[in-house]
Amino acid sequence: MATYDLIIRNGTIVDGTGAPRFSGDVAVKDGLIAAVGTVRGDAAHEIDAGGKIVAPGWVDIHTHYDGQATWDQEMAPSSWHGVTTVVMGNCGVGFAPAAPDRHEWLIRLMEGVEDIPGTALAEGMKWDWETFPEYLDALERLPRTVDVGTHVPHGAVRAYVLGDREKPGAIPTDDDIVQMAAIVEEGVRAGALGFSTSRTVIHKSVDGEVVPGTTATAEELIAIGRAMGKVGHGVFELASDLKREWNEFEWMGAISRETGLPVTFAALQSIAKELPLSEQIAEMDRQNATGANIVAAIALRGNGIIMAWRGTVHPFRFRPSVAELDTLPWDQAVARLKDPAFKARVLSEANVYPESDIVHLYRVIAEGWMAQFEMDADFDYEPGPDASIAARAAAAGKSADEYAYDLLTADDGTGFIYLPILNYADGNLDFLEELQARDDCVNSLSDGGAHCGTICDAASPTFMLQHWVRDRKRGGRLTLEHAVKRQCLDTARLYGLDDRGVIAPGYVADLNVIDFDNLQLGKPWMAFDLPAGGKRLLQQAKGYVATIKSGVITFEDGTWTGATPGGLIRGPQRAAMLEAAE
């Protein structure tokens, strides 16, 4: 009988702690790491990792697989990028608790906020739950390639308690707040990893209404924080416009100091945020200096939009003639786009914008040629001015809108334009260098499973290694050891997942074997593989030799093996070695 289930031999081990890499073997037994170093004995399966990096599986703490996780076992695209643990239910949106008459309302909220096709959610979800604990039970019934944990989402809680009274500006009664706090406490006791809310005008339902948390009072939010405090664990996650009159950092600090729990907020350069990023960090520092534990959730690149004819948005969305394409089969739409007469008509038209409080964003989408970039074969996600549509159009002797039209229409209408609307105010990512060195900032905001027609930032862990460690040209780079720690140990510890993110005996055997020199993001493409033919942008990567979840190989050379060792995470976790020591 073999000594171990799996041995990875001769690898360069980057153990997730930030310690220097070293050469050695990793042995796995019963889903846990059994030995690290020079391993004697044999195994049922061995991987020769000579010349390869061996790292922990990535822990992605900001995803939106709340619906997909109830029907999909592969959990792409995050699982394609070495992710072995996801935390979902972010930004206050999710599907539990769910009164039977609020299913459609919750779907429309998720579709509007996170650009997940409502038809896919309606067809894919069975709704075999009502309460939040019942939702966890439903998640637990389906094995998958990754482990999933989730927040209790504010939108669903408010809809469950207020029912038809949940409208923008609705003020809950004292009894409503008591009920909401009780639901959150029940959810966290059942295994939720925290609570989430959203307070930004960018987040709207399909009907154009701001999300429920936007108008919540500090009293409501503090009561919910105290409910988590009764249980003794959980992260309070927040996306906010950080309006000055809201004094968000005051109540965030108060919650954290009173409960001892971490509060995390989306820290971004954003046109919607009243506080600039430097002031966001300064306010966090001020609260933490008085005993709070506020953590800034940061992205790894410009958060933006990938624009395409078949995407959710593109620069010509507001030109009247383009609306004709919406009712045509795709082959006919492409033929129309290629027709010189149609092209000339579109280019001659002025943009017609809908009335909206984000019309400034629409203008950037339709006219911001200096801020838009052509996604060519070797696209650099930190593009300089010379890569802009405006610059390339000038070099080609074309108008910017004609250049963009031709770019999108190339290859039968599969061209892409990148528009970083957040985190690219300076035209570079230099500001992230300092933040990635801080312990009170955590890598986050990949939005895996969401924004299906506009982004594919689920590839963020791969981007971290490819861009920040190996290829960055326009600024400083990170060490491989630090980059791995940022998306393993650091993300896991924030959520109390102390059993993973490190390669050491007793930890969960979540591992990646990576051909680092050949790691490469692929070109995005638009797939129509969600339930009901729902669309989503996907992006794969080369260089993942193997991904292992709980000791089982789930992906080999980027291909799913069919194995589903992942399950549901209920509450904080302790590594076997730590439990033994106690």
Side-chain angles (χ1 to χ4, degrees):
M1 184 176 179
T3 311
Y4 301 106
D5 300 325
L6 171 68
I7 299 177
I8 302 171
R9 294 201 182 275
N10 309 313
T12 299
I13 299 172
V14 181
D15 69 5
T17 67
R21 70 193 77 178
F22 59 94
S23 298
D25 311 325
V26 179
V28 174
K29 182 74 172 178
D30 297 329
L32 301 177
I33 296 171
V36 179
T38 300
V39 174
R40 310 292 182 187
D42 59 355
H45 188 82
E46 294 198 6
I47 297 175
D48 182 1
K52 309 297 190 296
I53 298 297
V54 181
W58 315 137
V59 179
D60 188 341
I61 59 173
H62 192 105
T63 75
H64 293 279
Y65 289 107
D66 308 75
Q68 186 177 334
T70 68
W71 75 72
D72 179 31
Q73 294 184 286
E74 187 176 8
M75 295 292 284
S78 289
S79 60
W80 295 348
H81 293 274
V83 174
T84 52
T85 300
V86 302
V87 179
M88 54 196 193
N90 288 277
C91 298
V93 289
F95 299 112
D101 64 347
R102 304 303 282 177
H103 292 177
E104 179 64 22
W105 188 92
L106 292 171
I107 287 174
R108 293 179 71 80
L109 179 64
M110 180 69 82
E111 183 175 16
V113 172
E114 302 299 340
D115 188 28
I116 302 173
T119 53
L121 294 168
E123 181 170 309
M125 288 191 294
K126 297 178 181 178
W127 294 105
D128 51 346
W129 66 85
E130 177 171 336
T131 68
F132 192 87
E134 289 170 349
Y135 174 66
L136 293 182
D137 293 342
L139 290 173
E140 201 163 35
R141 285 193 286 271
L142 183 70
R144 53 188 71 80
T145 59
V146 303
D147 280 346
V148 299
T150 188
H151 300 87
V152 181
H154 197 183
V157 172
R158 262 199 160 215
Y160 195 78
V161 173
L162 272 65
D164 291 338
R165 289 183 291 131
E166 176 43 58
K167 302 287 184 182
I171 303 298
T173 65
D174 290 345
D175 184 59
D176 290 334
I177 292 175
V178 169
Q179 289 184 57
M180 285 191 278
I183 288 171
V184 173
E185 180 180 348
E186 176 188 48
V188 175
R189 288 193 187 280
L193 298 180
F195 166 84
S196 72
T197 190
S198 175
R199 294 159 65 74
T200 170
V201 296
I202 291 179
H203 286 169
K204 288 182 169 70
S205 72
V206 171
D207 303 314
E209 295 183 347
V210 295
V211 296
T214 305
T215 55
T217 62
E219 290 77 13
E220 177 182 342
L221 297 168
I222 289 172
I224 288 170
R226 286 172 175 162
M228 292 170 57
K230 290 180 183 178
V231 186
H233 74 262
V235 175
F236 194 114
E237 188 269 337
L238 168 72
S240 174
D241 289 338
L242 300 174
K243 292 186 180 296
R244 295 185 187 280
E245 67 267 24
W246 289 354
N247 294 317
E248 301 281 63
F249 285 96
E250 295 295 332
W251 66 256
M252 283 194 277
I255 286 176
S256 182
R257 282 187 293 270
E258 181 177 335
T259 65
L261 300 178
V263 177
T264 181
F265 72 101
L268 294 161
Q269 292 179 337
S270 171
I271 56 178
K273 291 185 187 292
E274 205 166 291
L275 300 185
L277 181 59
S278 60
E279 193 171 343
Q280 297 170 38
I281 300 301
E283 285 296 307
M284 176 182 74
D285 288 344
R286 187 170 66 85
Q287 293 296 326
N288 288 347
T290 61
N293 181 13
I294 302 176
V295 179
I298 62 172
L300 305 181
R301 64 188 187 196
N303 292 89
I305 299 171
I306 295 177
M307 300 193 290
W309 287 122
R310 303 186 84 180
T312 301
V313 296
H314 55 72
F316 304 97
R317 173 59 65 190
F318 307 106
R319 303 202 183 192
S321 293
V322 174
E324 299 173 15
L325 305 177
D326 293 342
T327 59
L328 297 178
W330 177 237
D331 58 342
Q332 295 180 30
V334 171
R336 184 76 60 88
L337 288 166
K338 291 180 177 179
D339 178 13
F342 182 78
K343 171 184 170 181
R345 176 153 52 102
V346 171
L347 295 181
S348 70
E349 293 175 340
N351 292 300
V352 179
Y353 300 109
E355 291 187 11
S356 172
D357 55 0
I358 57 172
V359 69
H360 55 292
L361 175 58
Y362 296 154
R363 292 186 181 279
V364 173
I365 290 170
E367 305 172 42
W369 306 118
M370 288 292 294
Q372 298 181 23
F373 303 92
E374 178 177 357
M375 296 190 74
D376 45 24
D378 297 316
F379 183 67
D380 184 345
Y381 282 90
E382 193 173 2
D386 59 335
S388 72
I389 297 297
R392 292 194 174 181
K398 293 183 177 182
S399 66
D401 57 351
E402 182 180 11
Y403 188 91
Y405 187 101
D406 292 343
L407 187 165
L408 293 174
T409 309
D411 298 324
D412 286 330
T414 60
F416 291 106
I417 293 174
Y418 176 62
L419 170 59
I421 57 174
L422 308 175
N423 268 8
Y424 217 63
D426 306 321
N428 59 61
L429 300 177
D430 289 351
F431 72 98
L432 288 173
E433 291 183 39
E434 177 186 352
L435 299 183
Q436 296 217 44
R438 294 180 56 137
D439 291 336
D440 53 8
C441 296
V442 65
N443 288 5
S444 184
L445 309 181
S446 82
D447 277 332
H451 301 293
C452 298
T454 50
I455 68 171
C456 191
D457 286 352
S460 290
T462 304
F463 172 79
M464 178 72 161
L465 300 190
Q466 178 182 323
H467 184 80
W468 280 101
V469 177
R470 194 189 66 197
D471 294 345
R472 190 171 187 235
K473 301 178 181 67
R474 301 184 62 205
R477 299 179 185 176
L478 303 177
T479 67
L480 178 61
E481 290 84 351
H482 183 67
V484 169
K485 175 178 178 289
R486 292 289 296 180
Q487 51 199 22
C488 294
L489 178 70
D490 292 353
T491 47
R493 293 301 174 271
L494 176 61
Y495 277 81
L497 305 180
D498 297 335
D499 63 339
R500 64 198 64 205
V502 174
I503 299 178
Y507 284 82
V508 174
D510 292 354
L511 301 160
N512 281 308
V513 180
I514 303 168
D515 182 354
F516 181 67
D517 292 340
N518 293 305
L519 189 68
Q520 186 69 43
L521 285 169
K523 181 181 177 180
W525 77 95
M526 190 70 73
F528 294 82
D529 60 350
L530 290 174
K535 69 183 178 185
R536 57 176 176 165
L537 272 167
L538 294 175
Q539 185 175 30
Q540 288 184 308
K542 296 179 180 178
Y544 285 97
V545 176
T547 297
I548 294 128
K549 170 78 201 96
S550 296
V552 178
I553 300 172
T554 51
F555 289 86
E556 291 182 312
D557 294 322
T559 301
W560 182 27
T561 64
T564 55
L568 173 71
I569 302 168
R570 288 186 185 265
Q573 305 292 310
R574 298 288 282 168
M577 63 179 295
L578 298 177
E579 292 177 350
E582 293 172 350

PDB file of all heavy atoms in Angstrom, residues 395-418:
ATOM      1  N   ALA A 395      -2.503  57.464 -35.759  1.00  0.00           N
ATOM      2  CA  ALA A 395      -1.403  56.841 -36.499  1.00  0.00           C
ATOM      3  C   ALA A 395      -1.886  56.187 -37.783  1.00  0.00           C
ATOM      4  O   ALA A 395      -1.151  56.114 -38.777  1.00  0.00           O
ATOM      5  CB  ALA A 395      -0.699  55.817 -35.612  1.00  0.00           C
ATOM      6  N   ALA A 396      -3.131  55.692 -37.772  1.00  0.00           N
ATOM      7  CA  ALA A 396      -3.693  55.024 -38.947  1.00  0.00           C
ATOM      8  C   ALA A 396      -4.377  55.993 -39.899  1.00  0.00           C
ATOM      9  O   ALA A 396      -4.860  55.571 -40.968  1.00  0.00           O
ATOM     10  CB  ALA A 396      -4.690  53.953 -38.494  1.00  0.00           C
ATOM     11  N   GLY A 397      -4.442  57.261 -39.514  1.00  0.00           N
ATOM     12  CA  GLY A 397      -5.086  58.251 -40.362  1.00  0.00           C
ATOM     13  C   GLY A 397      -6.595  58.128 -40.391  1.00  0.00           C
ATOM     14  O   GLY A 397      -7.235  58.488 -41.397  1.00  0.00           O
ATOM     15  N   LYS A 398      -7.194  57.647 -39.322  1.00  0.00           N
ATOM     16  CA  LYS A 398      -8.637  57.489 -39.235  1.00  0.00           C
ATOM     17  C   LYS A 398      -9.180  58.327 -38.082  1.00  0.00           C
ATOM     18  O   LYS A 398      -8.443  58.703 -37.159  1.00  0.00           O
ATOM     19  CB  LYS A 398      -9.020  56.027 -38.975  1.00  0.00           C
ATOM     20  CG  LYS A 398      -8.717  55.057 -40.088  1.00  0.00           C
ATOM     21  CD  LYS A 398      -9.218  53.663 -39.694  1.00  0.00           C
ATOM     22  CE  LYS A 398      -9.006  52.648 -40.790  1.00  0.00           C
ATOM     23  NZ  LYS A 398      -9.531  51.301 -40.413  1.00  0.00           N
ATOM     24  N   SER A 399     -10.479  58.556 -38.108  1.00  0.00           N
ATOM     25  CA  SER A 399     -11.126  59.120 -36.925  1.00  0.00           C
ATOM     26  C   SER A 399     -11.167  58.039 -35.852  1.00  0.00           C
ATOM     27  O   SER A 399     -11.127  56.837 -36.150  1.00  0.00           O
ATOM     28  CB  SER A 399     -12.536  59.587 -37.246  1.00  0.00           C
ATOM     29  OG  SER A 399     -13.367  58.470 -37.567  1.00  0.00           O
ATOM     30  N   ALA A 400     -11.250  58.454 -34.596  1.00  0.00           N
ATOM     31  CA  ALA A 400     -11.248  57.477 -33.506  1.00  0.00           C
ATOM     32  C   ALA A 400     -12.463  56.562 -33.568  1.00  0.00           C
ATOM     33  O   ALA A 400     -12.346  55.347 -33.316  1.00  0.00           O
ATOM     34  CB  ALA A 400     -11.203  58.202 -32.163  1.00  0.00           C
ATOM     35  N   ASP A 401     -13.631  57.113 -33.903  1.00  0.00           N
ATOM     36  CA  ASP A 401     -14.807  56.256 -33.916  1.00  0.00           C
ATOM     37  C   ASP A 401     -14.761  55.255 -35.068  1.00  0.00           C
ATOM     38  O   ASP A 401     -15.201  54.116 -34.935  1.00  0.00           O
ATOM     39  CB  ASP A 401     -16.111  57.069 -33.908  1.00  0.00           C
ATOM     40  CG  ASP A 401     -16.216  58.051 -35.052  1.00  0.00           C
ATOM     41  OD1 ASP A 401     -15.225  58.246 -35.777  1.00  0.00           O
ATOM     42  OD2 ASP A 401     -17.312  58.625 -35.210  1.00  0.00           O
ATOM     43  N   GLU A 402     -14.184  55.645 -36.214  1.00  0.00           N
ATOM     44  CA  GLU A 402     -14.061  54.678 -37.307  1.00  0.00           C
ATOM     45  C   GLU A 402     -13.060  53.583 -36.952  1.00  0.00           C
ATOM     46  O   GLU A 402     -13.286  52.411 -37.238  1.00  0.00           O
ATOM     47  CB  GLU A 402     -13.629  55.359 -38.603  1.00  0.00           C
ATOM     48  CG  GLU A 402     -13.543  54.371 -39.766  1.00  0.00           C
ATOM     49  CD  GLU A 402     -13.114  55.001 -41.074  1.00  0.00           C
ATOM     50  OE1 GLU A 402     -12.668  56.168 -41.074  1.00  0.00           O
ATOM     51  OE2 GLU A 402     -13.231  54.314 -42.112  1.00  0.00           O
ATOM     52  N   TYR A 403     -11.964  53.973 -36.334  1.00  0.00           N
ATOM     53  CA  TYR A 403     -10.964  52.972 -35.922  1.00  0.00           C
ATOM     54  C   TYR A 403     -11.597  51.972 -34.955  1.00  0.00           C
ATOM     55  O   TYR A 403     -11.403  50.758 -35.080  1.00  0.00           O
ATOM     56  CB  TYR A 403      -9.773  53.660 -35.268  1.00  0.00           C
ATOM     57  CG  TYR A 403      -8.612  52.730 -34.991  1.00  0.00           C
ATOM     58  CD1 TYR A 403      -7.609  52.544 -35.937  1.00  0.00           C
ATOM     59  CD2 TYR A 403      -8.520  52.033 -33.787  1.00  0.00           C
ATOM     60  CE1 TYR A 403      -6.544  51.681 -35.691  1.00  0.00           C
ATOM     61  CE2 TYR A 403      -7.469  51.165 -33.527  1.00  0.00           C
ATOM     62  CZ  TYR A 403      -6.480  51.000 -34.485  1.00  0.00           C
ATOM     63  OH  TYR A 403      -5.432  50.133 -34.234  1.00  0.00           O
ATOM     64  N   ALA A 404     -12.353  52.479 -33.982  1.00  0.00           N
ATOM     65  CA  ALA A 404     -13.001  51.602 -33.003  1.00  0.00           C
ATOM     66  C   ALA A 404     -14.025  50.698 -33.670  1.00  0.00           C
ATOM     67  O   ALA A 404     -14.124  49.501 -33.349  1.00  0.00           O
ATOM     68  CB  ALA A 404     -13.662  52.436 -31.912  1.00  0.00           C
ATOM     69  N   TYR A 405     -14.788  51.242 -34.592  1.00  0.00           N
ATOM     70  CA  TYR A 405     -15.802  50.447 -35.316  1.00  0.00           C
ATOM     71  C   TYR A 405     -15.123  49.297 -36.066  1.00  0.00           C
ATOM     72  O   TYR A 405     -15.560  48.138 -35.982  1.00  0.00           O
ATOM     73  CB  TYR A 405     -16.554  51.344 -36.281  1.00  0.00           C
ATOM     74  CG  TYR A 405     -17.739  50.681 -36.968  1.00  0.00           C
ATOM     75  CD1 TYR A 405     -19.032  50.930 -36.523  1.00  0.00           C
ATOM     76  CD2 TYR A 405     -17.564  49.824 -38.060  1.00  0.00           C
ATOM     77  CE1 TYR A 405     -20.130  50.340 -37.148  1.00  0.00           C
ATOM     78  CE2 TYR A 405     -18.637  49.225 -38.685  1.00  0.00           C
ATOM     79  CZ  TYR A 405     -19.924  49.480 -38.230  1.00  0.00           C
ATOM     80  OH  TYR A 405     -21.003  48.877 -38.846  1.00  0.00           O
ATOM     81  N   ASP A 406     -14.046  49.598 -36.790  1.00  0.00           N
ATOM     82  CA  ASP A 406     -13.344  48.563 -37.557  1.00  0.00           C
ATOM     83  C   ASP A 406     -12.708  47.526 -36.634  1.00  0.00           C
ATOM     84  O   ASP A 406     -12.707  46.323 -36.944  1.00  0.00           O
ATOM     85  CB  ASP A 406     -12.272  49.200 -38.436  1.00  0.00           C
ATOM     86  CG  ASP A 406     -12.856  50.045 -39.560  1.00  0.00           C
ATOM     87  OD1 ASP A 406     -14.067  49.891 -39.854  1.00  0.00           O
ATOM     88  OD2 ASP A 406     -12.110  50.863 -40.127  1.00  0.00           O
ATOM     89  N   LEU A 407     -12.166  47.993 -35.522  1.00  0.00           N
ATOM     90  CA  LEU A 407     -11.540  47.069 -34.558  1.00  0.00           C
ATOM     91  C   LEU A 407     -12.566  46.069 -34.025  1.00  0.00           C
ATOM     92  O   LEU A 407     -12.317  44.863 -33.989  1.00  0.00           O
ATOM     93  CB  LEU A 407     -10.942  47.899 -33.421  1.00  0.00           C
ATOM     94  CG  LEU A 407     -10.080  47.269 -32.337  1.00  0.00           C
ATOM     95  CD1 LEU A 407      -9.358  48.373 -31.585  1.00  0.00           C
ATOM     96  CD2 LEU A 407     -10.886  46.447 -31.351  1.00  0.00           C
ATOM     97  N   LEU A 408     -13.723  46.570 -33.619  1.00  0.00           N
ATOM     98  CA  LEU A 408     -14.752  45.692 -33.061  1.00  0.00           C
ATOM     99  C   LEU A 408     -15.311  44.731 -34.107  1.00  0.00           C
ATOM    100  O   LEU A 408     -15.735  43.615 -33.779  1.00  0.00           O
ATOM    101  CB  LEU A 408     -15.894  46.527 -32.464  1.00  0.00           C
ATOM    102  CG  LEU A 408     -15.577  47.368 -31.230  1.00  0.00           C
ATOM    103  CD1 LEU A 408     -16.767  48.237 -30.855  1.00  0.00           C
ATOM    104  CD2 LEU A 408     -15.177  46.487 -30.052  1.00  0.00           C
ATOM    105  N   THR A 409     -15.312  45.163 -35.362  1.00  0.00           N
ATOM    106  CA  THR A 409     -15.930  44.366 -36.416  1.00  0.00           C
ATOM    107  C   THR A 409     -14.975  43.328 -37.004  1.00  0.00           C
ATOM    108  O   THR A 409     -15.400  42.384 -37.669  1.00  0.00           O
ATOM    109  CB  THR A 409     -16.448  45.288 -37.531  1.00  0.00           C
ATOM    110  OG1 THR A 409     -17.263  46.315 -36.942  1.00  0.00           O
ATOM    111  CG2 THR A 409     -17.301  44.547 -38.543  1.00  0.00           C
ATOM    112  N   ALA A 410     -13.679  43.469 -36.727  1.00  0.00           N
ATOM    113  CA  ALA A 410     -12.693  42.525 -37.264  1.00  0.00           C
ATOM    114  C   ALA A 410     -12.965  41.107 -36.771  1.00  0.00           C
ATOM    115  O   ALA A 410     -13.577  40.902 -35.708  1.00  0.00           O
ATOM    116  CB  ALA A 410     -11.291  42.972 -36.863  1.00  0.00           C
ATOM    117  N   ASP A 411     -12.488  40.138 -37.545  1.00  0.00           N
ATOM    118  CA  ASP A 411     -12.639  38.715 -37.188  1.00  0.00           C
ATOM    119  C   ASP A 411     -14.100  38.374 -36.893  1.00  0.00           C
ATOM    120  O   ASP A 411     -14.426  37.779 -35.854  1.00  0.00           O
ATOM    121  CB  ASP A 411     -11.751  38.362 -35.991  1.00  0.00           C
ATOM    122  CG  ASP A 411     -10.280  38.561 -36.285  1.00  0.00           C
ATOM    123  OD1 ASP A 411      -9.858  38.295 -37.421  1.00  0.00           O
ATOM    124  OD2 ASP A 411      -9.546  38.993 -35.369  1.00  0.00           O
ATOM    125  N   ASP A 412     -14.958  38.768 -37.817  1.00  0.00           N
ATOM    126  CA  ASP A 412     -16.390  38.489 -37.688  1.00  0.00           C
ATOM    127  C   ASP A 412     -16.999  39.047 -36.405  1.00  0.00           C
ATOM    128  O   ASP A 412     -17.806  38.411 -35.726  1.00  0.00           O
ATOM    129  CB  ASP A 412     -16.656  36.983 -37.786  1.00  0.00           C
ATOM    130  CG  ASP A 412     -16.521  36.478 -39.216  1.00  0.00           C
ATOM    131  OD1 ASP A 412     -16.780  37.264 -40.149  1.00  0.00           O
ATOM    132  OD2 ASP A 412     -16.160  35.308 -39.400  1.00  0.00           O
ATOM    133  N   GLY A 413     -16.556  40.243 -36.069  1.00  0.00           N
ATOM    134  CA  GLY A 413     -17.186  40.953 -34.957  1.00  0.00           C
ATOM    135  C   GLY A 413     -16.742  40.524 -33.585  1.00  0.00           C
ATOM    136  O   GLY A 413     -17.490  40.705 -32.620  1.00  0.00           O
ATOM    137  N   THR A 414     -15.512  39.985 -33.479  1.00  0.00           N
ATOM    138  CA  THR A 414     -15.048  39.490 -32.179  1.00  0.00           C
ATOM    139  C   THR A 414     -13.944  40.354 -31.577  1.00  0.00           C
ATOM    140  O   THR A 414     -13.225  39.907 -30.689  1.00  0.00           O
ATOM    141  CB  THR A 414     -14.545  38.042 -32.298  1.00  0.00           C
ATOM    142  OG1 THR A 414     -13.449  37.990 -33.226  1.00  0.00           O
ATOM    143  CG2 THR A 414     -15.662  37.125 -32.768  1.00  0.00           C
ATOM    144  N   GLY A 415     -13.785  41.586 -32.055  1.00  0.00           N
ATOM    145  CA  GLY A 415     -12.780  42.464 -31.483  1.00  0.00           C
ATOM    146  C   GLY A 415     -13.190  42.992 -30.117  1.00  0.00           C
ATOM    147  O   GLY A 415     -14.379  43.044 -29.779  1.00  0.00           O
ATOM    148  N   PHE A 416     -12.184  43.396 -29.314  1.00  0.00           N
ATOM    149  CA  PHE A 416     -12.438  43.882 -27.960  1.00  0.00           C
ATOM    150  C   PHE A 416     -11.710  45.198 -27.723  1.00  0.00           C
ATOM    151  O   PHE A 416     -10.585  45.406 -28.200  1.00  0.00           O
ATOM    152  CB  PHE A 416     -11.956  42.881 -26.906  1.00  0.00           C
ATOM    153  CG  PHE A 416     -12.752  41.606 -26.841  1.00  0.00           C
ATOM    154  CD1 PHE A 416     -12.230  40.424 -27.351  1.00  0.00           C
ATOM    155  CD2 PHE A 416     -14.012  41.588 -26.278  1.00  0.00           C
ATOM    156  CE1 PHE A 416     -12.951  39.242 -27.285  1.00  0.00           C
ATOM    157  CE2 PHE A 416     -14.747  40.412 -26.204  1.00  0.00           C
ATOM    158  CZ  PHE A 416     -14.211  39.235 -26.713  1.00  0.00           C
ATOM    159  N   ILE A 417     -12.341  46.059 -26.945  1.00  0.00           N
ATOM    160  CA  ILE A 417     -11.737  47.307 -26.475  1.00  0.00           C
ATOM    161  C   ILE A 417     -11.788  47.309 -24.948  1.00  0.00           C
ATOM    162  O   ILE A 417     -12.819  46.995 -24.350  1.00  0.00           O
ATOM    163  CB  ILE A 417     -12.484  48.538 -27.032  1.00  0.00           C
ATOM    164  CG1 ILE A 417     -12.295  48.637 -28.548  1.00  0.00           C
ATOM    165  CG2 ILE A 417     -12.007  49.821 -26.350  1.00  0.00           C
ATOM    166  CD1 ILE A 417     -13.124  49.740 -29.188  1.00  0.00           C
ATOM    167  N   TYR A 418     -10.683  47.689 -24.337  1.00  0.00           N
ATOM    168  CA  TYR A 418     -10.569  47.734 -22.877  1.00  0.00           C
ATOM    169  C   TYR A 418     -10.725  49.169 -22.395  1.00  0.00           C
ATOM    170  O   TYR A 418     -10.048  50.083 -22.889  1.00  0.00           O
ATOM    171  CB  TYR A 418      -9.204  47.185 -22.469  1.00  0.00           C
ATOM    172  CG  TYR A 418      -8.866  47.240 -20.995  1.00  0.00           C
ATOM    173  CD1 TYR A 418      -9.617  46.540 -20.051  1.00  0.00           C
ATOM    174  CD2 TYR A 418      -7.756  47.965 -20.547  1.00  0.00           C
ATOM    175  CE1 TYR A 418      -9.259  46.566 -18.692  1.00  0.00           C
ATOM    176  CE2 TYR A 418      -7.395  47.985 -19.207  1.00  0.00           C
ATOM    177  CZ  TYR A 418      -8.159  47.287 -18.284  1.00  0.00           C
ATOM    178  OH  TYR A 418      -7.814  47.310 -16.950  1.00  0.00           O
TER     179      TYR A 418
END
